[in-house]
Amino acid sequence: MLNKQTLKAADNICLSLEQGMCLGLVGESGSGKSTLGKMILGLEKPDDGEIWFEGKSLLTMSRRERQSVRRKIQTVFQDCYSSLNPRWPVYESIREPLKNFEKLSAREEKRTVQELLVSVGLSPDDMAKYPHQFSGGQLQRISIARAIALKPKLIVLDEAVSSLDVLIQHQILKLLDELKEQYLLSYLFISHDIMAVRSISDRLAVMHKGQIVETIHCSDPLSSMKHPASKQLLESVLPSRPRARANIHNNKEWVSNDSQ
Ligand SMILES: Nc1ncnc2c1ncn2[C@@H]1O[C@H](COP(=O)(O)OP(=O)(O)O)[C@@H](O)[C@H]1O
Ligand SMILES: [Mg+2]
């Protein structure tokens, strides 16, 4: 006989994110991070609770209001290969949200797509190319261009740099940081990689078994984290030189490219 158990993917969570800030959400795989992100994006519905955005409840607002909020909350997922249509030139992928929400002429659309490509460090001519002609890092830049196309307020970045190698990760994190200033964005930055999250976030929330077990300001030393789940995340950081591990716990800065 099956022993049915109820799993609460996200439970008893109380978090806030101020405008222009980045909240890092970190936790082991299966801890509920994506579920929380999906609830904010309206892709999952919580059984209970409230989600507020700009003073309005996302769960009780009308369909029309929800539609207008949809453009203000965008996302970038980990898998850039499946989030872009392989049969479409990049122009079509970036243009899609503009087509759905803005009434632009063909010429304005083209100019906007070109400007977006430049703002993520690509060339205007790249709009004619197809996804298979780009590297993983470039594809993630295209996903970011699409996410900022409607000038959103909040971007949920779910493991957005996790599939990239360390050097490219660093470049994308830098780009995200610059875009945050330029477009006055707020980020919910979800990752299992505590060092990547910390490098871009203002605050860090640790999720464990569907609950937020600890939050710290990123200016606080990592050694101030007390919860066993937080400590376990720190333990799992793999520096390229094993002796550098001690520095993480002593909170001497360890950078992901290990330049010490
Ligand atoms: N659609 C679903 N149906 C059943 N269980 C799910 C579903 N989505 C996620 N879960 C479960 O919820 C938990 C949290 O998943 P998830 O939010 O994807 O975690 P994370 O993003 O931290 O890896 C996991 O135990 C996962 O197996
Ligand atoms: Mg996830």
Side-chain angles (χ1 to χ4, degrees):
M1 204 171 97
L2 278 176
N3 181 15
K4 280 194 185 173
Q5 281 190 318
T6 304
L7 178 122
K8 290 188 175 176
D11 187 30
N12 200 19
I13 289 172
C14 182
L15 281 176
S16 63
L17 173 56
E18 300 85 36
Q19 194 173 355
M21 295 287 158
C22 176
L23 174 65
L25 184 61
V26 71
E28 65 192 344
S29 187
S31 56
K33 306 181 297 296
S34 295
T35 303
L36 183 59
K38 284 179 192 165
M39 288 193 290
I40 293 166
L41 290 161
L43 303 173
E44 295 264 7
K45 208 169 180 310
D47 299 318
D48 202 3
E50 284 285 359
I51 305 174
W52 295 82
F53 180 78
E54 294 185 329
K56 288 188 176 167
S57 164
L58 290 182
L59 305 178
T60 56
M61 64 178 43
S62 67
R63 188 182 265 252
R64 183 187 286 247
E65 280 179 313
R66 179 80 221 180
Q67 186 74 1
S68 87
V69 163
R70 257 184 62 194
R71 62 174 297 164
K72 295 184 183 177
I73 308 180
Q74 296 292 319
T75 185
V76 177
F77 290 114
Q78 172 175 4
D79 188 1
C80 39
Y81 293 96
S82 64
S83 59
L84 296 170
N85 188 330
R87 292 167 198 228
W88 282 0
V90 158
Y91 171 69
E92 289 295 337
S93 290
I94 300 180
R95 170 180 171 252
E96 199 189 18
L98 296 168
K99 203 172 65 182
N100 292 339
F101 285 97
E102 305 258 1
K103 299 255 179 296
L104 298 179
S105 66
R107 177 191 278 223
E108 284 170 329
E109 266 183 3
K110 187 176 165 193
R111 190 172 47 80
T112 307
V113 170
Q114 287 177 324
E115 284 170 3
L116 286 163
L117 283 168
V118 171
S119 69
V120 296
L122 295 171
S123 153
D125 296 339
D126 285 334
M127 70 178 186
K129 296 183 188 166
Y130 288 81
H132 72 269
Q133 294 175 276
F134 295 93
S135 67
Q138 287 173 323
L139 287 175
Q140 210 53 316
R141 286 176 190 267
I142 294 164
S143 299
I144 293 167
R146 190 175 55 179
I148 60 173
L150 295 172
K151 304 219 166 29
K153 296 283 178 66
L154 170 66
I155 303 185
V156 177
L157 300 142
D158 192 352
E159 305 280 4
V161 297
S162 301
S163 63
L164 306 173
D165 70 56
V166 169
L167 186 64
I168 308 297
Q169 256 190 25
H170 189 70
Q171 292 170 1
I172 299 290
L173 288 169
K174 190 163 170 286
L175 171 69
L176 286 168
D177 213 26
E178 288 164 3
L179 292 172
K180 183 157 90 59
E181 298 299 314
Q182 190 182 341
Y183 290 88
L184 303 173
L185 298 164
S186 309
Y187 293 151
L188 175 65
F189 190 93
I190 297 173
S191 179
H192 64 278
D193 180 347
I194 193 166
M195 300 313 275
V197 171
R198 187 180 182 239
S199 71
I200 192 172
S201 303
D202 300 286
R203 272 192 311 136
L204 198 64
V206 180
M207 200 160 180
H208 178 63
K209 293 187 177 170
Q211 307 215 358
I212 301 297
V213 293
E214 186 155 25
T215 54
I216 63 162
H217 283 276
C218 288
S219 52
D220 293 339
L222 288 174
S223 54
S224 66
M225 298 205 298
K226 296 281 181 285
H227 195 277
S230 315
K231 289 183 187 287
Q232 202 174 6
L233 284 173
L234 283 175
E235 287 284 337
S236 66
V237 174
L238 287 177
S240 53
R241 286 182 300 133
R243 281 184 196 164
R245 182 185 289 270
N247 288 343
I248 298 168
H249 300 294
N250 295 335
N251 204 40
K252 289 177 189 155
E253 209 51 56
W254 174 77
V255 287
S256 47
N257 60 2
D258 202 7
S259 59
Q260 289 179 24

